[in-house]
Amino acid sequence: MTTTLVPLAKAGPDYGVGVYRDITEWAVGTPGWLQTFGELFTEGGLLLFVGVMVFQWWRARKGDDRAMAYAMIAPLAVVVVYALSEVIKVWLHEERPCRDIPGARAIAECPATGDYSFPSNHSVIAASAVATLLISWRLIGVLLLPVAVLAALSRVYVGVHYLHDVAAGMLLGLLLAPLVLLALRVPGTHLVTALRRKPSLELVLGASPVLAPPAPQHAPYSATRS
């Protein structure tokens, strides 16, 4: 059922449509190689985040229990926020600008009818992934933050989203994914600790690092007078 409770989802010609036209009119005038790259990047860019998360899991197999918990929970956090964005999409029913705006010029093919626009799922996924990496693998998270922003903006560049769609998607991912990760961090670590005791799961979870035995404690030397 269509709702008008969130004005941002129907921002109107003074904001949503006007900015969309400005960006897409500029986009269709860019070189062909850049348009082709934009189409490939807007869909394939998310594969980079998938690859990094897989590598994070593989790396965590030799790490401590918390590192493995982070590696396992991060994709779950992305899925949770993505599912929430789908619920919001169905609730708001914002039509795609490439179909709703007369004379809209989009580089990419407009998604099918019923695939709504607000918020941008691509932006949600990219932002959620980079937000979890900023907590669990900070250096890589910082390096990939600009990639997440470009992945979000590419959705407007190719003409399939309004700018406020991608802004809302980024905000949703950056705020909620870390909350899911942090909320599950402690129980997730305990679960990994328990499951790592099972030899059958060693290939998936790795083994808990062997802690070095504590150094022997020597009694302080005290000299006695004869």
Side-chain angles (χ1 to χ4, degrees):
M1 180 173 63
T2 303
T3 177
T4 56
L5 294 178
V6 182
L8 183 61
K10 280 294 183 184
D14 292 337
Y15 176 66
V17 175
V19 173
Y20 173 84
R21 284 192 184 279
D22 289 342
I23 294 174
T24 53
E25 288 296 328
W26 165 77
V28 296
T30 56
W33 66 265
L34 184 58
Q35 295 182 29
T36 300
F37 175 79
E39 285 192 85
L40 294 174
F41 180 74
T42 197
E43 296 295 344
L46 297 184
L47 295 178
L48 174 62
F49 292 100
V50 173
V52 170
M53 286 192 161
V54 171
F55 182 66
Q56 183 184 27
W57 158 75
W58 184 259
R59 178 173 175 264
R61 293 170 69 252
K62 295 183 179 180
D64 60 22
D65 296 343
R66 173 167 290 187
M68 177 54 74
Y70 275 144
M72 301 296 284
I73 296 169
L76 175 63
V78 175
V79 170
V80 168
V81 183
Y82 168 79
L84 176 61
S85 73
E86 275 294 303
V87 172
I88 295 173
K89 270 192 168 189
V90 173
W91 177 48
L92 291 178
H93 282 195
E94 180 194 73
E95 188 57 271
R96 294 276 181 170
C98 46
R99 186 164 36 250
D100 199 42
I101 299 175
R105 302 175 67 188
I107 293 172
E109 182 180 353
C110 198
T113 303
D115 186 348
Y116 298 110
S117 193
F118 184 93
S120 162
N121 284 340
H122 283 66
S123 303
V124 167
I125 294 170
S128 297
V130 82
T132 60
L133 287 168
L134 285 170
I135 296 173
S136 60
W137 199 357
R138 186 168 301 171
L139 175 60
I140 299 301
V142 170
L143 292 176
L144 289 181
L145 182 57
V147 179
V149 173
L150 287 175
L153 292 177
S154 71
R155 303 301 288 163
V156 187
Y157 173 79
V158 299
V160 296
H161 275 291
Y162 292 104
L163 183 60
H164 58 263
D165 296 340
V166 302
M170 288 290 292
L171 188 63
L172 201 63
L174 290 173
L175 291 180
L176 296 187
L179 294 180
V180 175
L181 184 68
L182 295 175
L184 298 178
R185 175 180 57 185
V186 173
T189 302
H190 290 325
L191 182 60
V192 168
T193 302
L195 292 178
R196 274 182 160 177
R197 298 192 184 106
K198 299 180 181 294
S200 60
L201 295 177
E202 185 172 346
L203 181 63
V204 176
L205 300 177
S208 295
V210 178
L211 300 178
Q217 298 293 323
H218 297 286
Y221 173 76
S222 60
T224 57
R225 294 182 179 179
S226 55

